Amino acid sequence: MAEERIIERYLNTIMENDYRGLAECFSETCHYVDTCPGTISGVNYHLYGTKALEMFFHNKFTFQRISISDYVIEDDRHVNFFVSTRGYYIFARATIERFSPDGLIDVLTVRAG
C-alpha cells in the first residue's frame, strides 16, 4: 500500500473531525490562512503554530461548525472542496504554499473559489 500523502492526511483528519491529527499534519511553526469566512461577512483566519491550529479546530469540530465534502485532489499541493460553515456552502481551494524540511505543511492557504 502506498504511503498516504500529506494532502490526503489533511483531508482525512478534517473529514473525521480529528483536530489533533490535523495539527500533526503541520510544522510546529506553521501558518494557516483561510479567507473563505470573508466571503460571508466573517473574519478571515490566520493561525500560527500547531497549538493554535489544534485549539481552533477543536472548537470548530466539537460544535460542528465546519465540514467539507466533494473534494478533488489535484496534486500534492492543491485540493478543491465544498466547505459548510455557518449555514453556507462555499467552494474552496486549499493550497500548500510551503513544506517544512521534514515534509509537513508549513504554510497552507484556503481561498474561496
Side-chain angles (χ1 to χ4, degrees), residues 32-98:
Y32 180 97
V33 180
D34 188 341
T35 62
C36 291
T39 65
I40 54 172
S41 301
V43 177
N44 295 336
Y45 308 132
H46 291 268
L47 306 172
Y48 297 91
T50 53
K51 294 294 184 195
L53 196 92
E54 184 176 327
M55 290 183 342
F56 177 82
F57 279 99
H58 178 259
N59 179 293
K60 293 291 183 189
F61 294 158
T62 300
F63 297 102
Q64 299 175 346
R65 294 191 173 151
I66 188 171
S67 65
I68 64 170
S69 62
D70 299 318
Y71 65 84
V72 175
I73 297 174
E74 292 182 10
D75 55 35
D76 288 340
R77 292 180 174 268
H78 303 93
V79 60
N80 298 312
F81 51 84
F82 285 97
V83 61
S84 172
T85 183
R86 297 175 41 210
Y88 294 91
Y89 284 92
I90 303 166
F91 179 73
R93 176 182 175 102
T95 302
I96 300 173
E97 305 288 347
R98 185 174 62 226

